[in-house]
Amino acid sequence: MRAWVAFLDTSNLLLQRINQQLREDGGLTQPQYELLTRLAEAPDQRMRMAELALALVTSRSGLTYQVSQLEKAGLVRREACASDDRGILAVLTADGQQALLKAAPGHLRVVRENLIDQLDRDQLVTLADTLGRARAHLRSTGNG
Amino acid sequence: MRAWVAFLDTSNLLLQRINQQLREDGGLTQPQYELLTRLAEAPDQRMRMAELALALVTSRSGLTYQVSQLEKAGLVRREACASDDRGILAVLTADGQQALLKAAPGHLRVVRENLIDQLDRDQLVTLADTLGRARAHLRSTGNG
DNA sequence: TGCATGTCGTTCGAATTCGAACTACACCGG
DNA sequence: CCGGTGTAGTTCGAATTCGAACGACATGCA
């Protein structure tokens, strides 16, 4: 249980720092940064809404809101899905790329200073493996 | 970086499950459960507002809101602070105790099933130590 | 004592989140 | 082709969050 409390505290503290950093840096919030990152890593830099919502662990309505915000800011574009008329693809724009490149260094610095540099390499590898395992279990039992 | 992404995902997934479980179980939310727990662990089951806000990693205004909600529900009581006329003490009531006892088993079960049981004892100890270290660093560099 | 600075908790408005209800479309068995 | 069931994305209202501004009190120094 000690582990869980430490886990939650660390998560909250880090998110606090990250949001603070991103706000000083430019107009992005943490959820928005995360969203853009997923799009940047996706094939053709586009993703289905439902898939994106799952990846970001947010509700579909919440995703609709954030994508709308980013679309107004010109960082993301909506596109119809060829294979499914119901589907919408969120696509990263050139401006979105730029915003991500601009915000990335500060973001990486905060994560590095506050998490990575506090641990040695073994601890870090163990942490990634351990949490990867927990995440896999959580995803595999999704709502069932 | 893999570690940080896994960290964030796991945290979000677990919070999702916990909130879902608590909602099915009875009227508490996760932040409220966390708040009551801190009070239950505190000497005389009471804490200063500012101290509580720090412990829960939330804003002071956010804490005011949650304490007001819990006060309306009768689970928490506000008390003046003897040593500082500005201060307010949040105090756990008997009903608050009851609510905590009622919600605890389900909460513990979810954390156990989804995190603790997925790891062996070494991993768990390492995780607690590792995150404890990161948390200590984050707290020691608080806003400075 | 009197003033300057800082802290405590609250209030306020804006932004973000969620779940439920809804519309449009896909898919399957007849 | 056609109804029945399920999924995709959005809209809506309610709840929660934050930061900034505020009034009340504490603390240090002259």
Side-chain angles (χ1 to χ4, degrees):
Chain A
M1 265 303 142
R2 196 165 53 91
W4 167 238
V5 175
F7 189 95
L8 195 55
D9 284 1
T10 307
S11 169
N12 286 333
L13 286 164
L14 251 173
L15 286 174
Q16 204 178 51
R17 299 296 173 86
I18 288 172
N19 263 315
Q20 174 183 338
Q21 214 287 322
L22 286 174
R23 196 159 341 98
E24 291 168 1
D25 220 61
L28 291 181
T29 64
Q30 190 271 332
Q32 292 173 344
Y33 181 90
E34 201 68 19
L35 196 160
L36 295 180
T37 300
R38 301 295 176 127
L39 286 185
E41 290 168 349
D44 291 333
Q45 314 205 324
R46 66 196 60 210
M47 254 198 235
R48 287 289 292 270
M49 294 292 278
E51 193 185 355
L52 196 49
L54 237 73
L56 295 173
V57 193
T58 188
S59 62
R60 286 172 301 167
S61 52
L63 180 60
T64 293
Y65 174 79
Q66 282 296 357
V67 167
S68 298
Q69 296 301 107
L70 291 171
E71 198 174 24
K72 274 193 276 186
L75 309 184
V76 158
R77 177 166 39 93
R78 273 185 233 246
E79 232 175 64
C81 180
S83 62
D84 189 337
D85 280 357
R86 298 168 300 177
I88 299 282
L89 291 165
V91 188
L92 188 64
T93 66
D95 283 356
Q97 287 253 16
Q98 286 302 314
L100 208 45
L101 289 175
K102 179 164 170 291
H107 179 80
L108 294 180
R109 187 172 56 76
V110 172
V111 175
R112 186 172 298 281
E113 282 178 3
N114 291 294
L115 181 65
I116 299 178
D117 287 354
Q118 301 309 310
L119 314 174
D120 58 38
R121 186 147 287 285
D122 279 350
Q123 284 179 316
L124 198 58
V125 172
T126 302
L127 186 65
D129 289 348
T130 298
L131 296 180
R133 175 188 304 258
R135 175 175 55 174
H137 176 260
L138 282 160
R139 290 224 188 263
S140 72
T141 59
N143 286 0
Chain B
M1 263 304 142
R2 195 165 52 91
W4 167 236
V5 175
F7 189 94
L8 195 54
D9 284 0
T10 307
S11 168
N12 285 333
L13 285 164
L14 251 173
L15 286 174
Q16 206 179 50
R17 299 296 174 87
I18 288 173
N19 263 315
Q20 175 183 338
Q21 213 287 323
L22 286 174
R23 196 159 347 97
E24 289 168 2
D25 219 61
L28 290 181
T29 64
Q30 188 272 332
Q32 291 172 346
Y33 181 90
E34 201 67 21
L35 196 160
L36 295 180
T37 300
R38 301 294 176 129
L39 286 184
E41 291 169 348
D44 291 334
Q45 314 205 322
R46 65 198 60 209
M47 255 197 235
R48 287 290 293 270
M49 294 291 280
E51 193 186 353
L52 195 50
L54 240 75
L56 296 173
V57 193
T58 188
S59 62
R60 285 173 300 166
S61 51
L63 180 60
T64 294
Y65 175 78
Q66 282 296 359
V67 167
S68 298
Q69 295 302 106
L70 291 170
E71 197 174 25
K72 274 192 277 187
L75 309 184
V76 157
R77 176 166 38 92
R78 275 185 233 244
E79 232 175 63
C81 179
S83 62
D84 189 338
D85 281 357
R86 299 168 301 179
I88 299 282
L89 291 166
V91 188
L92 188 65
T93 65
D95 283 356
Q97 287 253 16
Q98 285 304 314
L100 207 45
L101 288 175
K102 179 164 172 291
H107 179 79
L108 294 180
R109 188 173 55 77
V110 172
V111 175
R112 185 172 300 280
E113 281 178 3
N114 290 293
L115 181 65
I116 298 178
D117 286 354
Q118 300 310 309
L119 313 173
D120 57 38
R121 185 148 289 284
D122 279 350
Q123 284 178 317
L124 197 58
V125 172
T126 302
L127 185 65
D129 289 349
T130 298
L131 295 180
R133 176 189 304 259
R135 176 176 54 175
H137 176 260
L138 283 160
R139 290 224 188 265
S140 72
T141 59
N143 287 0

